[in-house]
Amino acid sequence: MVADPLSRVFSALADPTRRDIVARLAVADATVNELAAPYDVTVQAVSKHLKVLEDAGLVSRSREAQRRPVHLEAEVFDLMTKWIERYRRQAEERYRRLDDVLRDMPDAVLPQEGTPS
């Protein structure tokens, strides 16, 4: 089964190493060897992480002379942001409605300060 793009992105970012790679690529493009340097894993293992990120559309690789830098595709974050923002707005609206209900409740229903509940 082929996952939808949003599911692939969230799945790719579920791994802490991949999230760290994305954070580092947000600062600057880097080669696989540069990305692998701080981890106690092989370059091949980092390449596998990059393949997952690439399949999710989060990174791309290019060729610059002898270098093959990995580049963060920031547009993909727009997809995540729109999805998150939609549910954030819905949650805020629910909290606003709850605030309205609590504000309209008679004071007698609410416990007084300093009295046990």
Side-chain angles (χ1 to χ4, degrees):
M1 181 175 112
V2 176
D4 64 282
L6 186 62
S7 294
R8 285 195 308 269
V9 169
F10 278 116
S11 179
L13 294 174
D15 182 90
T17 301
R18 290 193 287 266
R19 286 193 306 272
D20 187 62
I21 289 170
V22 166
R24 292 173 55 214
L25 289 172
V27 175
D29 292 357
T31 65
V32 176
N33 285 333
E34 291 167 343
L35 291 169
Y39 306 114
D40 190 23
V41 296
T42 65
V43 172
Q44 183 179 9
V46 171
S47 288
K48 287 182 180 181
H49 282 298
L50 290 172
K51 177 73 171 123
V52 172
L53 293 170
E54 196 170 13
D55 289 347
L58 286 162
V59 301
S60 60
R61 300 183 207 202
S62 61
R63 184 175 292 279
E64 294 175 2
Q66 297 300 317
R67 292 185 77 221
R68 286 195 48 127
V70 180
H71 173 75
L72 182 65
E73 297 296 338
E75 314 79 59
V76 176
F77 290 100
D78 290 340
L79 176 67
M80 295 172 58
T81 302
K82 286 177 186 173
W83 185 85
I84 292 168
E85 184 63 22
R86 178 175 136 202
Y87 291 102
R88 185 189 64 76
R89 282 192 308 266
Q90 288 177 356
E92 284 180 352
E93 180 55 33
R94 283 192 354 253
Y95 286 127
R96 265 194 295 277
R97 288 193 312 263
L98 178 59
D99 285 343
D100 292 344
V101 168
L102 292 174
R103 188 176 38 256
D104 293 342
M105 289 179 74
D107 289 339
V109 175
L110 299 175
Q112 299 293 326
E113 272 190 48
T115 59
S117 301

